[in-house]
Amino acid sequence: MGVTGGQISPVRSRERFLLGESVEGSVRGPILNSWMRSRMLGLSPEQTDLPYTDDFDPDSRLVRAAVPVLDQLQTRFSGSQMNISLADGNGTVLQRRFGEPALAGRLAPIQSIPGFVFAERYAGTNGIGLALAERRLCQVYGAEHFAERSQSNACSATPIRDQFSGHVIGVLCFGYPRSYEDPALPVLVRRAAESIERRLMEQSSARERALLRTYLAARLRAHAGEAGDDGQLIGLDELTDGGLDLQDQLVLKAKATELICNPQRAAVEVSLSHGRGVTLLSSPVTSLSGVEGVVVEAVLTGDSPPAHHLAASKPTASALGALALAATERAESLPWHLADTAAAGRAAATGPDEAPGTVRGLVLVGEPEVGKYAVAARRRLELLAEASTRIGTTLDVSRTAWELAETAVPRLADYVTVDLPGAVLRGEESADPQADLHRTVVHGIRDDCPFYPVGHQVRLDPGTPHMRCLEGEPAVLETDLQATTPAWMLPGLEHARGILAHDVHSMICVPLLARGVLLGIATFYRAQDPAPFGEDDSRLAQELAARAALCIDNARRYTREHTLALALQRSLLPRGLPEQGAVEVAHHYQPAESGVGGDWFDVIPLSGTRVALLVGDVVGHGLHAAATMGRLRIAARNFAELELAPDELLTHLDNLLVRLDREEEDASATGSDGIVGATCLYAVYDPTSQVCTMARAGHPPPALVHPDGSVTFPDLPAGPPLGLGGLPFETAELRLPEHSTLVLYTDGLVEGRHRDIDVSLDQLRHALAHPDRKPEDTCRAVIEAVAPEHPDDDIALLVARTRTVPADRIATWDLPPDPSLVSDIRSAATRQLGEWGLDELAFAAELMLSELVTNAVRYGSEPIQVRLIHDHDRALICEVSDGSNTAPHLRRAATTDEGGRGLFLVAQLSQAWGARYTTRGKVIWAECALDAA
């Protein structure tokens, strides 16, 4: 908000703000934040006094660089009411220029005399103070000024930075009447500031050139008039007798830059490629103008270089003079403080007292402070390169946030906190990050970090750096928390004092923003390093945060997909075990960490007290694998209800998967992932005979725990994986003694990229060698002993301890195909039910047996057998088998039909009935619930 229709519009908003009313949305964000800080600092709009100091250097580097630019601006605005001011990094005005010189006499001293401090904490919202607080170009119009005295003016101000350090060292500000507002003014003030920054660079270059001249002059004096060959003058390429490749040059310059940081004499050995090495020697040097710097030379002692080198490099006075002149001219044009190795190195020579064979080459010359900036810049680049490999190694949101903190501590910050909305941790986008922010990471150089702990819900006050980041600012830098406690810390002063007690003196708050989605906030604190955070640090923190945010968003999206896939898979797995008496069952399912797969299991009660046990594994991960698993499990359950033999059931599943593959191939243009295949193990256990019939399709064999504790892995025919089509499956029968334990599992339990399956199977054998344990305890022991800590694949485990139906609860009669014997069967069944105490079911059982036996005699063939099974506490099962493969069908008989009502009667009297085929014919069965009696 600023100039609208030629009128300054913040007047009304400012009045409302001072009355305590909300003005969000009607005032520009930086202005509103500054107003809030001014109010929290206790400033008054009527305040007129500002601090004044005469303790500033009127001839500082900043002033010397700015004076020519200020003079040009004064000429440009000649005759106008433009007020041009230059302030230092603390907000103290150092220079003023006026378009109309007489204006200086008509303005108040604080607007015309250097020395007044316009920092925001003293002057409230104003151009200089806001540019220092925001560290960017700012404009303040009329009533946007916090103080009453500035209401009639407008200003545009921009920071001036030291290009070596990136620190804000000053502010250039244009002050003018409101009527002067022009879109070109912000552009002009920015260009003028850039000119001052360039002149600061030129000053540094001049200082470096002066140091280089001093070095060369000293070398000329040292070798003037010498005729001997004790000193050898060669370049660095010749110094190493074979030339320096780019990597060697980078190594030398990096080490030399570190030496320049220390103004004391030092020497360090440097290893280069191909086994070569040199010694870097740093020496302090002072130019004629008093500039103190450091010269770094590469020194090699040993045998003299080849003769053709010596001939070209004898240090005669004339040669040294020519080389010095060439090097100086080259240095005059250098834009950077580093002396070029190839050019300046040839100006190096040895001292007169050095041993024969000693050769030197100049590497770098510069000032210690500049060297520190260069080292810091290189380390920032190294940190960014390292961050690309350390951040985002997993697809876990919290872990990625921790990796950001671990990368930044201690190389950038001493403490790091990361706050993420709860929705982001769950894989969702947060509709209101401010209300749902949780402390996710606290990491620092000390364990007793003075910050809210992990899990704490973070509540933010208006005007805090965190809130400003949430409201859209790219980063908030606070450089001095100790000298003057910022206004935004006042509402939580007790907590702030705890932080400051740990010597925290500066901070950077950065939003975690990726693909337009705000994911949270990362805050970097510095305490141990005495140097406060600067602009370069802020940009580095933003770059680290941007990389981390992208990785967090990837992890969030993965978490969302993983959660959806896991929810889908769990909804497709059995929610509870069905009631059956054949086995005592326990199960365990554990999804993979890297993605939900297609593992499943099932327990399916069958007729005749039998039970089917099933485990399977769809190849692949994600939603597609989970959905395919659901389709296969439902199909397998339906095929099991048809009483298919294990090999036949696997054949039907194989055919189904082939059809699904074809459907996926037809839909491949849409980007669908094709189904690779699946494995499966299907077992049917009959407690009346203690026989288990099994077949498998490329699945690991089961484990069998015998009652004596021995563990075996039955050698079942492997069979091809499902989805290949056209290949047969084989069955195998095992007799399982009572209280045997059958363990079915998927390959995620025993296989892995870094696991030996033989070792895993041996671990499984030892974990199962406890026959007296309950299935639940067996499940738990197997997972603890065998399952990997971080599984790459899903794990499905099914443990079934066998039971048997006692012989005295089974009654069997064989009979010839004679209708007259039906009454004898009814009588025998009635007597048997009486012995079992089931007299209440006698009437229903007689009717069902009459119909079933009559159908078998009339339509079936020999052998015919009748069997009654008393399934304890569950049901009475009536079975009639014959040698025919013709199955009866239930139909509705017409009123004129003489027959066709027998099966209808059976269906009405029983809770379930059906037919199953055997190798010798079929079995018609009917089941009556015991509670129905």
Side-chain angles (χ1 to χ4, degrees):
M1 178 176 172
V3 179
T4 304
Q7 300 294 324
I8 301 297
S9 56
V11 178
R12 180 70 180 276
S13 296
R14 181 173 177 277
E15 292 175 352
R16 291 171 53 199
F17 172 81
L18 294 176
L19 292 174
E21 300 178 13
S22 175
V23 293
E24 292 186 13
S26 61
V27 181
R28 290 186 292 132
I31 298 299
L32 180 57
N33 290 332
S34 180
W35 285 358
M36 296 173 67
R37 292 193 296 268
S38 300
R39 185 167 61 183
M40 286 189 289
L41 287 166
L43 300 180
S44 169
E46 293 80 19
Q47 180 178 349
T48 57
D49 295 332
L50 291 179
Y52 175 79
T53 178
D54 56 4
D55 187 20
F56 63 87
D57 184 3
D59 192 35
S60 65
R61 291 181 60 232
L62 175 61
V63 174
R64 291 199 305 272
V67 164
V69 178
L70 296 177
D71 292 342
Q72 292 177 11
L73 291 173
Q74 183 176 16
T75 301
R76 176 170 186 145
F77 291 110
S78 177
S80 71
Q81 299 185 49
M82 181 66 71
N83 185 343
I84 305 163
S85 56
L86 174 72
D88 63 16
N90 297 318
T92 303
V93 174
L94 306 176
Q95 289 275 313
R96 284 195 180 272
R97 296 287 191 278
F98 302 96
E100 182 182 339
L103 191 62
R106 300 198 300 267
L107 294 176
I110 62 172
Q111 294 178 297
S112 58
I113 299 176
F116 286 96
V117 183
F118 281 81
E120 189 181 66
R121 63 179 179 270
Y122 302 121
T125 308
N126 70 93
I128 294 175
L130 192 58
L132 289 174
E134 296 289 327
R135 290 174 173 78
R136 55 176 171 168
L137 189 146
C138 297
Q139 295 173 275
V140 184
Y141 307 104
E144 289 183 336
H145 289 86
F146 189 77
E148 296 284 357
R149 62 173 175 268
S150 303
Q151 298 297 293
S152 60
N153 297 325
C155 58
S156 294
T158 191
I160 300 172
R161 289 180 170 83
D162 185 324
Q163 295 299 295
F164 286 134
S165 65
H167 295 162
V168 174
I169 60 173
V171 176
L172 180 64
C173 180
F174 290 177
Y176 45 86
R178 290 178 296 181
S179 58
Y180 274 38
E181 178 59 32
D182 189 295
L185 286 178
V187 177
L188 181 60
V189 71
R190 182 185 293 112
R191 289 179 177 174
E194 292 172 352
S195 297
I196 297 174
E197 291 171 351
R198 282 195 299 271
R199 292 184 60 81
L200 285 169
M201 283 287 293
E202 291 171 0
Q203 287 183 4
S204 297
S205 298
R207 295 160 68 92
E208 301 294 344
R209 288 195 296 271
L211 289 173
L212 181 58
R213 290 193 188 97
T214 301
Y215 166 76
L216 296 174
R219 284 302 178 194
L220 286 172
R221 289 193 299 272
H223 291 280
E226 292 185 8
D229 294 338
D230 290 344
Q232 300 174 5
L233 178 66
I234 63 175
L236 285 180
D237 284 348
E238 297 163 326
L239 179 69
T240 53
D241 192 20
L244 290 175
D245 58 23
L246 179 60
Q247 185 62 33
D248 287 342
Q249 294 182 38
L250 292 176
V251 170
L252 283 176
K253 288 186 177 181
K255 292 295 184 180
T257 305
E258 294 177 1
L259 289 174
I260 287 179
C261 297
N262 185 359
Q264 304 299 321
R265 180 183 294 271
V268 61
E269 296 289 336
V270 181
S271 298
L272 302 178
S273 59
H274 307 297
R276 296 174 300 180
V278 299
T279 300
L280 289 182
L281 177 65
S282 68
S283 304
V285 61
T286 303
S287 70
L288 296 177
S289 59
V291 177
E292 295 181 353
V294 176
V295 170
V296 179
E297 298 169 295
V299 181
L300 178 64
T301 58
D303 296 335
S304 299
H308 66 277
H309 285 174
L310 292 175
S313 58
K314 287 185 178 181
T316 63
S318 59
L320 284 172
L323 285 170
L325 178 60
T328 303
E329 292 174 348
R330 177 70 178 270
E332 295 285 351
S333 63
L334 282 177
W336 185 247
H337 67 286
L338 300 179
D340 182 81
T341 301
R346 296 181 181 275
T350 56
D353 57 345
E354 290 178 346
T358 299
V359 290
R360 293 192 178 200
L362 178 64
V363 181
L364 290 180
V365 58
E367 297 178 83
E369 287 301 315
V370 176
K372 291 179 182 178
Y373 300 147
V375 170
R378 191 184 78 246
R379 290 176 178 171
R380 282 192 286 268
L381 289 175
E382 292 172 350
L383 182 59
L384 282 177
E386 182 179 329
S388 63
T389 60
R390 290 189 60 181
I391 300 176
T393 60
T394 68
L395 286 171
D396 180 83
V397 173
S398 298
R399 180 59 203 158
T400 304
W402 273 101
E403 289 170 347
L404 167 62
E406 290 168 349
T407 301
V409 175
R411 296 169 64 179
L412 172 62
D414 297 318
Y415 300 98
V416 175
T417 63
V418 181
D419 304 321
L420 302 178
V424 172
L425 295 172
R426 296 190 299 270
E428 306 166 4
E429 292 185 12
S430 178
D432 186 8
Q434 299 179 16
D436 189 30
L437 211 58
H438 292 78
R439 181 59 47 84
T440 306
V441 174
V442 178
H443 182 58
I445 56 176
R446 292 171 53 179
D447 293 334
D448 58 336
C449 296
F451 305 99
Y452 291 125
V454 172
H456 179 84
Q457 184 169 5
V458 180
R459 302 187 183 279
L460 304 178
D461 296 316
T464 62
H466 306 77
M467 182 63 77
R468 292 165 61 185
C469 286
L470 289 178
E471 292 173 346
E473 293 197 31
V476 178
L477 171 63
E478 292 283 352
T479 58
D480 191 356
L481 301 177
Q482 291 282 352
T484 303
T485 303
W488 56 266
M489 296 183 86
L490 297 179
L493 192 56
E494 288 302 318
H495 180 63
R497 286 172 178 166
I499 296 176
L500 298 178
H502 281 67
D503 299 325
V504 174
H505 56 74
S506 58
M507 65 171 286
I508 304 170
C509 192
V510 186
L512 297 171
L513 194 66
R515 302 183 179 100
V517 178
L518 182 61
L519 302 172
I521 304 170
T523 310
F524 304 82
Y525 299 89
R526 184 168 284 179
Q528 192 173 31
D529 189 340
F533 283 125
E535 288 294 321
D536 286 345
D537 298 315
S538 178
R539 286 190 286 270
L540 176 60
Q542 291 180 63
E543 181 65 25
L544 291 176
R547 297 187 183 195
L550 190 60
C551 294
I552 289 174
D553 192 48
N554 291 337
R556 178 190 66 82
R557 291 168 178 244
Y558 168 79
T559 300
R560 179 181 60 187
E561 180 179 341
H562 181 78
T563 302
L564 289 174
L566 185 59
L568 174 62
Q569 186 178 47
R570 290 195 182 278
S571 69
L572 296 174
L573 289 172
R575 300 196 177 186
L577 296 178
E579 184 181 356
Q580 48 80 35
V583 291
E584 182 183 358
V585 183
H587 61 86
H588 177 85
Y589 170 75
Q590 183 174 344
E593 285 192 353
S594 58
V596 175
D599 292 18
W600 87 94
F601 64 91
D602 212 343
V603 178
I604 308 170
L606 301 177
S607 63
T609 69
R610 298 172 307 135
V611 65
L613 305 174
L614 176 68
V615 291
D617 182 5
V618 174
V619 177
H621 291 84
L623 286 171
H624 190 268
T628 303
M629 176 274 290
R631 300 169 79 174
L632 284 178
R633 176 178 173 259
I634 293 172
R637 176 172 281 272
N638 291 335
F639 293 147
E641 295 287 347
L642 295 176
E643 302 281 3
L644 297 178
D647 56 339
E648 294 177 354
L649 182 138
L650 292 181
T651 299
H652 282 282
L653 288 180
D654 185 40
N655 294 335
L656 172 64
L657 203 53
V658 169
R659 290 195 298 272
L660 292 178
D661 269 325
R662 290 172 182 167
E663 292 177 5
E664 290 295 329
E665 290 176 2
D666 294 339
S668 60
T670 63
S672 299
D673 294 330
I675 301 171
V676 178
T679 65
C680 184
L681 172 62
Y682 184 70
V684 177
Y685 173 67
D686 187 345
T688 64
S689 63
Q690 301 181 3
V691 172
C692 183
T693 306
M694 292 180 279
R696 62 185 179 123
H699 201 83
L704 178 59
V705 185
H706 297 272
D708 61 0
S710 61
V711 180
T712 61
F713 296 92
D715 186 16
L716 304 181
L722 300 177
L724 297 181
L727 298 176
F729 300 93
E730 299 180 60
T731 61
E733 289 188 354
L734 299 175
R735 191 178 186 281
L736 307 182
E738 186 177 8
H739 303 313
S740 299
T741 301
L742 192 63
V743 180
L744 285 68
Y745 53 90
T746 55
D747 58 3
L749 179 67
V750 295
E751 295 182 9
R753 287 176 295 178
H754 307 292
R755 306 176 67 198
D756 188 330
I757 188 171
D758 292 332
V759 174
S760 299
L761 290 176
D762 191 56
Q763 293 173 341
L764 179 60
R765 179 181 288 107
H766 283 86
L768 293 175
H770 300 276
D772 297 331
R773 280 193 304 218
K774 294 182 178 180
E776 292 83 0
D777 297 333
T778 300
C779 261
R780 189 179 306 109
V782 167
I783 294 301
E784 291 176 354
V786 186
E789 184 177 356
H790 303 286
D792 298 324
D793 196 4
D794 288 13
I795 297 174
L797 177 65
L798 192 62
V799 178
R801 190 178 187 186
T802 63
R803 297 169 177 165
T804 60
V805 178
D808 60 359
R809 291 184 178 272
I810 304 174
T812 306
W813 299 276
D814 296 316
L815 70 159
D818 185 355
S820 64
L821 298 178
V822 175
S823 60
D824 296 339
I825 290 297
R826 288 202 304 265
S827 300
T830 301
R831 288 193 300 272
Q832 184 64 59
L833 293 177
E835 293 177 7
W836 288 341
L838 302 178
D839 298 285
E840 296 85 350
L841 293 177
F843 177 73
E846 285 185 23
L847 289 178
M848 289 190 297
L849 285 175
S850 294
E851 295 299 331
L852 296 178
V853 173
T854 299
N855 283 340
V857 170
R858 181 175 299 178
Y859 305 109
S861 60
E862 294 185 276
I864 299 175
Q865 186 182 76
V866 177
R867 186 168 72 159
L868 291 181
I869 303 174
H870 181 194
D871 191 3
H872 183 65
D873 296 333
R874 289 187 66 250
L876 173 68
I877 302 170
C878 304
E879 294 183 346
V880 178
S881 63
D882 66 77
S884 171
N885 289 322
T886 303
H889 297 282
L890 179 66
R891 65 184 180 86
R892 182 176 294 278
T895 56
T896 57
D897 291 341
E898 295 183 359
R901 297 175 179 83
L903 286 181
F904 180 77
L905 182 61
V906 171
Q908 296 301 310
L909 293 173
S910 64
Q911 69 173 0
W913 77 278
R916 69 175 182 269
Y917 293 95
T918 67
T919 56
R920 296 181 298 174
K922 67 177 182 296
V923 176
I924 310 299
W925 58 271
E927 184 176 302
C928 294
L930 295 183
D931 55 8

